[in-house]
Amino acid sequence: MVPFILSLIIYCIHTLSSAAEEEKAYLALSFGKTTEDYIQFTPSDMSPFQSSFTGCAWIKRQHDAPNPMILHFHPYDEIIMGSNGYWNQAKINLQVRGRFPGKNVWFHYCLSWSAGGEQKVYINGEVVGSKSASSSNLRMGGHISIGMNARGKSTGYSDYVFGGQLFKLNLFSEVLSSSEIRQMSEAGMCSSIEMEHETRKLKWERILTEPRYGNVVEFVPAECTSYIMAKLDKMMSLLKEI
């Protein structure tokens, strides 16, 4: 009996710890609409994405910037993830104008790319644009900016800002299949399905720890509060059974 109780306690502690880690992933970020409002960091290793990647996020646009940018990997404009169809880039820009939802609506966005293969943009699980990709690998070095153009506040880039809400931005070191991306979208923004992928190398939980500048505020999306509370209630019920 004692070994069983000890095993149950260890299980509960492990489960609660995992739940706490998972709960961190349920924080979203709200960005102001100026070049002062951003996250910027130098990634420790971008080599897993050198020949292929998929970047996915949940996005809510709140600002009509002419060239809104979510993620920019610079200094070579190697990766740009936009939020209204104007900028979707892995070495070569792929414009898909008029295919993105309007303001104040959460939608699921993915940009996939493979050297010498294809570059695709998905909105809510559906391909909205594709083109042949460059045959050369991504160049390494540089830094990542989230919320604005990585060139910063230099003349000509003041409109390259995001000014919206961002949730679960992850980079995978492979081209996810259309069915995998559709499953992520259909599972909804509160699902943890993306955590099941071993190729999720740049994680949202890591991005949440990076330096923030200006008006960048974390919050829990209202759409996910009931989901989180249900998981916590389940954990508490397990503890009461001990």
Side-chain angles (χ1 to χ4, degrees):
M1 185 65 179
V2 173
F4 170 76
I5 293 175
L6 287 174
S7 298
L8 183 59
I9 291 173
I10 292 170
Y11 170 77
C12 288
I13 291 172
H14 174 75
T15 305
L16 284 169
S17 176
S18 299
E21 286 299 310
E22 187 176 329
E23 188 178 353
K24 291 180 183 177
Y26 285 93
L27 290 173
L29 294 175
S30 177
F31 291 78
K33 58 182 182 180
T34 76
T35 54
E36 306 286 341
D37 312 314
Y38 63 97
I39 293 173
Q40 192 170 85
F41 61 97
T42 301
S44 57
D45 184 14
M46 288 292 284
S47 62
F49 314 109
Q50 200 163 12
S51 60
S52 64
F53 77 87
T54 303
C56 294
W58 289 90
I59 300 166
K60 181 188 284 189
R61 296 176 54 209
Q62 295 180 305
H63 175 50
D64 283 329
N67 300 288
M69 288 191 177
I70 296 168
L71 180 147
H72 187 193
F73 177 45
H74 190 61
Y76 306 110
D77 289 343
E78 295 297 273
I79 304 174
I80 298 177
M81 294 172 65
S83 69
N84 71 348
Y86 290 95
W87 286 100
N88 311 276
Q89 180 164 318
K91 302 183 77 68
I92 298 174
N93 191 28
L94 168 58
Q95 293 193 358
V96 284
R97 303 185 186 194
R99 303 299 301 275
F100 280 46
K103 293 192 297 182
N104 298 313
V105 176
W106 283 109
F107 64 93
H108 189 245
Y109 166 100
C110 290
L111 169 66
S112 68
W113 168 85
S114 64
E118 281 190 297
Q119 181 173 314
K120 294 182 180 180
V121 174
Y122 295 78
I123 298 297
N124 293 331
E126 300 297 329
V127 177
V128 296
S130 64
K131 70 188 305 183
S132 296
S134 167
S135 60
S136 58
N137 289 346
L138 296 180
R139 289 173 286 184
M140 298 292 98
H143 56 269
I144 288 176
S145 287
I146 297 173
M148 73 164 189
N149 188 294
R151 292 183 180 87
K153 307 159 195 169
S154 59
T155 303
Y157 295 100
S158 60
D159 291 331
Y160 289 68
V161 297
F162 174 39
Q165 296 179 354
L166 184 63
F167 189 42
K168 293 187 176 181
L169 170 59
N170 295 286
L171 286 185
F172 305 84
S173 59
E174 65 172 334
V175 174
L176 296 180
S177 68
S178 296
S179 61
E180 287 175 312
I181 291 174
R182 190 177 304 112
Q183 286 172 2
M184 280 187 190
S185 176
E186 292 178 349
M189 61 188 290
C190 303
S191 166
S192 58
I193 188 172
E194 72 281 345
M195 294 182 178
E196 300 170 6
H197 289 268
E198 294 182 358
T199 57
R200 190 174 68 107
K201 299 300 184 183
L202 180 56
K203 302 178 181 180
W204 180 237
E205 303 94 291
R206 155 79 190 277
I207 292 171
L208 288 170
T209 68
E210 298 296 348
R212 305 172 193 173
Y213 303 89
N215 183 19
V216 181
V217 181
E218 63 183 38
F219 68 100
V220 176
E223 293 83 353
C224 296
T225 52
S226 59
Y227 178 87
I228 294 171
M229 291 306 298
K231 290 182 73 67
L232 291 175
D233 287 344
K234 184 177 180 180
M235 297 303 104
M236 295 306 297
S237 295
L238 283 172
L239 286 176
K240 288 178 181 178
E241 293 175 4
I242 297 176

